Amino acid sequence: MKLCWLDIRNVDGAKAAIIEEALHQRVDAIVAADPADLEPLPPTVKKVLFPQNQPLPEKLGPADLVIVEPARHGEPAALAQQYPDVEFGRYVEIIDADSLDDACRAARHDRWSLLYFRNPTKIPLEIVLAAAAGADGSIVTQVADVEEAEIVFGVLEHGSDGVMLAPRVPGEATALKAAAVSRAADVPLVELEVTGIRRVGMGERACVDTCTNFRLDEGILVGSHSTGMILCCSETHPLPYMPTRPFRVNAGALHSYTLSANGRTNYLSELVSGGRVLAVDSLGKSRIVTVGRVKIETRPLLAIDAVAPSGVRVNLIVQDDWHVRVLGPGGTVLNVTELTEGTKVLGCLPVEQRHVGYPINEFCIEK
């Protein structure tokens, strides 16, 4: 879980509404320059005092953590001895090589480091995160908006421990919290038993090319119905007549559903460059990957019918070719043209019906 700090130091007339929203969304900390702004906050939120470009108040009030500028306020370690009941962290603005070195030292040795990178490049943050590998402290990065927060959360795959955002309007606290927890949840997979395969003529199938290389036992979940999908394998495994394309999944007919970010489904036909889909491995571990392009072409098609132990029937229509593959138990790679009755494949059984991709409990029959 990534930390979400909300900076209210320069919030105008909507301050009360923004604070109320932040508390409702359970942000991790509220950051203020005046101890009086921290007084009414409940104990459920961390109270962070950050008197940037100001003297350190004589009384720190209810602050749990004080972020200081060492050149102005003194070193965090010395201040901690003076105020034993309060945590102290260091603020570093990174503008050049020297300040980058300061940030690396802070990240390695301080309990809290609040970093502001003046330039938009994320390479300095990558350097700080690499320098802090294995350190016990927490790195919080100041960001301009929620979009930058999403990027910061993913730098070097690990990302900053948290971000500090100064909201401009109500709603941004909610969006920030959503960005912080939008890591994909694991998918409960089940073993499906193939009941038959049949040729169904010509049609359009979609290859989903992502901006990520899939692992050996990883693919995307695809199905003709929203209530059952099969785990389609990526083109990570060698083929005799063509090079591997580990970023691609030959997924299925264009009408098929696949799981995407935030629990939604999308038709394969509506995926576009820059969209998101869910990559899932044979243990159900998942991650969100970005779509680079979708290739839709006319090919002969093959229908795979399967049934779950619960009796739910699943259908997947794919290109009728032996190089198209699905995954079985333990990550076994199975060519679709060689499937027979009784073969076990991996899939999932979402319980909700779908309306424009969102789960909904309503009467719906899919055939």
Side-chain angles (χ1 to χ4, degrees):
M1 180 72 70
K2 299 295 185 178
L3 298 173
C4 295
W5 288 13
L6 222 63
D7 180 5
I8 63 168
R9 292 175 299 161
N10 297 307
V11 172
D12 296 324
K15 180 184 288 188
I18 287 173
I19 292 176
E20 182 179 357
E21 177 196 7
L23 295 175
H24 178 73
Q25 291 297 328
R26 296 187 177 275
V27 300
D28 300 283
I30 300 290
V31 181
D34 186 346
D37 285 331
L38 301 175
E39 289 284 356
L41 299 179
T44 54
V45 66
K46 194 177 199 68
K47 305 171 187 67
V48 179
L49 183 66
F50 183 23
Q52 187 178 13
N53 300 322
Q54 301 175 18
L56 191 68
E58 186 176 334
K59 294 184 178 180
L60 303 181
D64 303 308
L65 169 64
V66 180
I67 301 295
V68 298
E69 300 169 288
R72 182 185 299 273
H73 303 125
E75 286 291 322
L79 290 166
Q81 293 181 352
Q82 185 178 349
Y83 301 92
D85 296 329
V86 181
E87 288 187 294
F88 284 86
R90 184 187 305 267
Y91 174 73
V92 183
E93 181 177 353
I94 295 89
I95 58 175
D96 54 23
D98 289 340
S99 55
L100 178 59
D101 288 341
D102 290 341
C104 291
R105 281 192 294 272
R108 284 195 298 266
H109 302 297
D110 287 324
R111 175 66 187 87
W112 294 96
S113 303
L114 177 61
L115 308 181
Y116 172 60
F117 296 88
R118 182 182 294 181
N119 296 314
T121 173
K122 294 297 179 284
I123 291 176
L125 176 57
E126 293 178 4
I127 294 170
V128 173
L129 292 177
D136 295 329
S138 296
I139 300 169
V140 177
T141 303
Q142 187 173 342
V143 296
D145 50 38
V146 174
E147 185 177 15
E148 185 182 7
E150 291 179 330
I151 294 170
V152 166
F153 286 146
V155 169
L156 288 188
E157 296 189 12
H158 174 269
S160 183
D161 297 303
V163 298
M164 182 179 77
L165 171 69
R168 292 158 293 190
V169 294
E172 291 192 340
T174 301
L176 179 64
K177 192 68 178 181
V181 300
S182 65
R183 301 299 177 262
D186 292 347
V187 176
L189 297 181
V190 297
E191 291 187 13
L192 308 171
E193 183 175 328
V194 173
T195 57
I197 61 171
R198 50 201 163 91
R199 291 186 169 88
V200 291
M202 302 295 291
E204 281 70 61
R205 67 92 175 99
C207 283
V208 180
D209 292 349
T210 71
C211 300
T212 301
N213 280 336
F214 288 90
R215 295 186 284 270
L216 292 176
D217 68 337
E218 197 175 32
I220 65 175
L221 287 157
V222 186
S224 294
H225 308 136
S226 63
T227 51
M229 301 179 189
I230 292 175
L231 187 54
C232 293
C233 185
S234 67
E235 295 186 8
T236 307
H237 302 272
L239 294 165
Y241 300 114
M242 55 194 300
T244 60
R245 295 183 173 92
F247 53 83
R248 169 177 293 178
V249 178
N250 191 325
L254 80 172
H255 73 284
S256 307
Y257 284 113
T258 189
L259 288 180
S260 54
N262 302 318
R264 283 199 65 178
T265 56
N266 285 103
Y267 296 119
L268 294 179
S269 62
E270 65 186 11
L271 296 178
V272 295
S273 297
R276 306 289 183 88
V277 293
L278 206 63
V280 182
D281 70 14
S282 60
L283 296 177
K285 301 292 184 183
S286 65
R287 57 184 175 134
I288 297 169
V289 297
T290 300
V291 176
R293 70 173 159 264
V294 179
K295 289 182 62 183
I296 298 176
E297 300 163 309
T298 301
R299 295 290 187 269
L301 299 178
L302 183 74
I304 304 168
D305 297 308
V307 64
S310 62
V312 173
R313 297 195 172 277
V314 178
N315 175 264
L316 169 64
I317 297 178
V318 295
Q319 180 179 343
D320 182 4
D321 196 287
W322 64 273
H323 79 273
V324 180
R325 295 156 163 175
V326 295
L327 288 168
T332 306
V333 179
L334 304 169
N335 298 330
V336 295
T337 53
E338 297 176 354
L339 295 175
T340 59
E341 287 190 25
T343 302
K344 298 294 180 65
V345 298
L346 293 176
C348 77
L349 304 174
V351 295
E352 305 95 343
Q353 300 292 343
R354 299 281 164 162
H355 181 63
V356 292
Y358 291 102
I360 184 172
N361 290 318
E362 68 170 0
F363 175 76
C364 178
I365 296 176
E366 294 180 289
K367 294 184 177 181

